[in-house]
Amino acid sequence: MTDNDSRERAKRFARMLMQQAAWPAAVVVAANILTPLAASARGAFETWPAAVALSVAAASAVAVLALSTLLAFDALLFRLMASHEDEASSGAAVDDMLARMRLKPIPSAIRQFDDRVAGTRRLLTRQRAALGLFVVMLFAAGFWAPR
């Protein structure tokens, strides 16, 4: 793969990560604005199963927002990688930045681009699981709310 291809892959991945960080966070924020209005109108806090479901939904909402923040940070790191000429210098720049921010020590060997992508995809999977739990718990709270 040429250096231009790796830069283009990093740019595309960073763009995709920003989108994947933004829309779940927007869904959670919108739902958290609308849910208390609907829940109080229907008396959802009066039954313990609905209250528990709303509490679990709130906790998973926090997880979605935290993971969205991590994905946005990773997107910025991939943009940094895209600004360098080759894969080795881009990986070294990211490792140097993380070390200067005291988030990670400088590794003995530079991680490959595909390894970094795999780690970020694991974060995406966790975010989707938390978003799924959030949606299921909102529906469960609606199911258990008094009519």
Side-chain angles (χ1 to χ4, degrees), residues 17 25 27 29 51 76 97 108 117 123 144:
L17 281 179
V27 166
V29 168
L76 295 175
M97 176 176 278
S108 58
V117 168
L123 282 177
W144 282 313

Side-chain angles (χ1 to χ4, degrees), residues 6-132:
S6 65
R7 291 176 70 181
E8 196 57 39
R9 280 181 58 201
K11 283 181 189 177
R12 281 194 314 268
F13 194 67
R15 190 176 319 116
M16 185 271 302
L17 281 179
M18 280 304 233
Q19 291 171 351
Q20 297 302 318
W23 74 263
V27 166
V28 165
V29 168
N32 279 330
I33 290 171
L34 298 175
T35 299
L37 300 174
S40 63
R42 292 185 67 194
F45 297 109
E46 295 173 10
T47 63
W48 70 268
V52 168
L54 285 173
S55 298
V56 172
S60 61
V62 170
V64 169
L65 293 175
L67 289 165
S68 290
T69 303
L70 286 173
L71 289 171
F73 182 70
D74 276 3
L76 295 175
L77 291 176
F78 279 102
R79 283 188 183 170
L80 175 65
M81 289 180 78
S83 70
H84 285 77
E85 292 299 320
D86 60 348
E87 190 175 337
S89 67
S90 65
V94 168
D95 290 340
D96 180 55
M97 176 176 278
L98 292 173
R100 282 197 272 154
M101 293 175 75
R102 296 183 182 174
L103 296 175
K104 280 188 171 184
I106 293 180
S108 58
I110 297 173
R111 289 177 46 207
Q112 298 294 320
F113 180 79
D114 292 333
D115 294 338
R116 294 176 192 270
V117 168
T120 302
R121 289 202 187 276
R122 284 190 293 274
L123 282 177
L124 270 170
T125 303
R126 290 178 185 147
Q127 180 202 38
R128 295 291 165 77
L131 182 63

